[in-house]
């Protein structure tokens, strides 16, 4: 073989080896989410996966496992143990593991006190405030995630919760003695304050509970009627009370996975997380009115709370902030609950102003990136 032929063969081999190396370096991360495949949240999760692949130039990919790899109750432990690289973690399911985080999560009904400027933007406000709070104002929150072998990369969630029922609800008298499925302690306390009985169960059990009359209402955001296939069992809806969204640590990453990523790849994950954090509240707000209108067309009763019930709910929210601080101090040793709530309320006011000019999903994602996610130090966070 001539020198020229040998050189060509060496070059061809080098190019082949380079291609194989690139292929080996491309990595697929497993994402576990308890939502069913048809839900709006899974649609946003797929956008998140696309963002990761695009922003990393194909070096990273995300495979989404909706309601298959891990359910809601299993996700926190599954991410901790490496069964999934990324997970949709509902911290409210685990109060003892995430007590500082859940102080702010349980304060979600505060959005009901923000006034008309917040109406129709509650999810956008809350998820921006909670992400900023957790990244930069609550080191204890990040320590809690660290103890669970997870790295926090942002919060997300939908619109405010109301009453999705199989009988009408307008007044406190209607609620008296009712069994309500609740997904967090704040709504459980509200239920008790109006004479109802809270029932705790997984979101995956809601259809059967409502259809069989185990509960009369589910405290839920209206788009979840679609997400969890509840259309055929809902006969009455009242979205005026209790209020407040359900926030989730939507893209928590296994700590070992996070540490194995380069700083550039961690930035990719944060950029994609900012898109995910914006995408869920945005899509919920877009579908909220449509879901209710379609329900009304099917003959579902759309009810409004009597003024007395609204006022009682507002009074409950204020009183409950003190209860949250005291409860988490006595049960979980959170000594600074009052300060955490005070700091968080300031952020809610701040984000009420920040989202006023948001007109598109991209506007919200850019706002989250500029104000929050871009300021996270990938050389230190989670390490």
């Amino acid at each position: 073989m001539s020198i020229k032929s040998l050189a060509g063969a060496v070059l061809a081999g080098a190019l082949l080896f380079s291609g194989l190396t690139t292929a080996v370096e491309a990595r697929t991360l497993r994402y576990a989410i308890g939502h069913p495949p048809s839900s709006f949240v899974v649609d946003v999760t797929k956008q998140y996966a696309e963002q990761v692949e695009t922003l990393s130039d194909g070096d990273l990919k995300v495979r989404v496992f909706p309601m298959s790899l891990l359910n809601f109750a299993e996700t926190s432990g599954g991410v901790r143990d490496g069964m999934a690289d990324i997970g949709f973690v509902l911290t409210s399911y685990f109060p003892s593991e995430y007590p500082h985080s859940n102080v702010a999560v349980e304060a979600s009904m505060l959005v009901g006190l923000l006034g008309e400027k917040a109406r129709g933007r509650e999810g956008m406000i809350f998820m921006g405030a909670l992400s900023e709070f957790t990244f930069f104002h609550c080191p204890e929150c990040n320590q809690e995630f660290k103890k669970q072998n997870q790295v926090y990369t942002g919060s997300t969630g939908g619109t405010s919760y109301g009453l999705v029922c199989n009988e009408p609800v307008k007044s406190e008298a209607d609620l008296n003695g009712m069994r309500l499925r609740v997904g967090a302690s704040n709504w459980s306390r509200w239920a008790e304050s109006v004479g109802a009985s809270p029932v705790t169960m997984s979101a995956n059990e809601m259809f059967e509970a409502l259809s069989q009359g185990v509960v009369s209402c589910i405290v839920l955001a209206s788009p979840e009627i679609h997400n969890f296939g509840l259309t055929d069992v809902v006969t009455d809806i009242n979205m005026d009370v209790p209020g407040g969204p359900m926030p989730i640590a939507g893209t928590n990453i296994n700590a070992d996975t996070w540490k194995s990523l380069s700083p550039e790849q961690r930035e990719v994950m944060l950029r994609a997380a900012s898109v995910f954090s914006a995408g869920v509240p945005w899509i919920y707000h877009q579908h909220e009115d449509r879901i209710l209108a379609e329900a009304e067309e099917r003959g579902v009763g759309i009810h409004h709370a009597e003024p007395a019930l609204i006022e009682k709910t507002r009074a409950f929210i204020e009183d409950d902030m003190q209860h949250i601080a005291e409860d988490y101090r006595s049960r979980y040793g959170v000594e600074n609950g009052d300060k955490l709530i005070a700091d968080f309320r300031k952020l809610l006011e701040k984000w009420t102003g920040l989202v006023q000019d948001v007109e598109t999903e991209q506007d919200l994602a850019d706002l989250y990136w500029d104000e929050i996610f871009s300021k996270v130090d990938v050389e230190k966070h989670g390490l």
Side-chain angles (χ1 to χ4, degrees), residues 163-169 210 216-218 233-238:
L163 299 171
V164 175
C165 310
N166 56 25
E167 57 183 286
V169 176
L210 196 62
S216 297
C217 296
I218 300 171
V233 294
V234 174
T235 62
D236 296 271
I237 299 172
N238 185 332

Side-chain angles (χ1 to χ4, degrees), residues 69-256:
L69 182 59
L70 300 166
N71 64 31
F72 287 123
E74 298 166 338
T75 303
S76 180
V79 175
R80 177 196 63 212
D81 298 337
M83 294 177 65
D85 297 292
I86 314 166
F88 194 80
V89 178
L90 282 78
T91 61
S92 59
Y93 277 30
F94 313 98
S96 61
E97 285 90 343
Y98 307 105
H100 291 83
S101 303
N102 282 328
V103 166
V105 167
E106 284 202 29
S108 70
M109 290 174 71
L110 281 172
V111 298
L113 305 180
L114 292 172
E116 285 300 316
K117 289 181 71 175
R119 192 174 302 278
R121 297 175 181 269
E122 295 93 340
M124 294 185 275
I125 293 165
F126 197 88
M127 303 317 151
L130 186 58
S131 295
E132 181 174 351
F133 172 82
T134 307
F135 275 126
F136 306 121
H137 297 267
C138 186
E140 300 94 339
C141 297
N142 287 281
Q143 283 301 310
E144 289 167 359
F145 291 121
K146 185 175 183 179
K147 286 181 181 178
Q148 297 302 315
N149 199 39
Q150 298 174 31
V151 177
Y152 174 82
T153 62
S155 295
T156 197
T159 48
S160 283
Y161 275 37
L163 299 171
V164 175
C165 310
N166 56 25
E167 57 183 286
V169 176
K170 299 178 183 178
S171 67
E172 185 176 352
D174 293 333
L175 286 161
N176 188 44
M178 269 193 174
R179 288 168 59 85
L180 310 182
R181 183 270 174 183
V182 298
S185 297
N186 54 337
W187 293 312
S188 178
R189 292 189 296 273
W190 174 82
E192 291 173 342
S193 78
V194 294
S197 298
V199 177
T200 302
M201 64 179 67
S202 169
N204 306 114
E205 302 173 58
M206 293 187 298
F207 180 93
E208 185 176 357
L210 196 62
S211 65
Q212 296 185 1
V214 175
V215 297
S216 297
C217 296
I218 300 171
V219 179
L220 204 64
S222 60
E224 304 290 20
I225 296 170
H226 162 85
N227 289 340
F228 290 98
L230 302 176
T231 300
D232 294 336
V233 294
V234 174
T235 62
D236 296 271
I237 299 172
N238 185 332
M239 296 306 299
D240 293 343
V241 292
M246 169 70 89
I248 301 101
T251 50
N252 270 21
I253 299 179
N254 172 274
D256 299 314

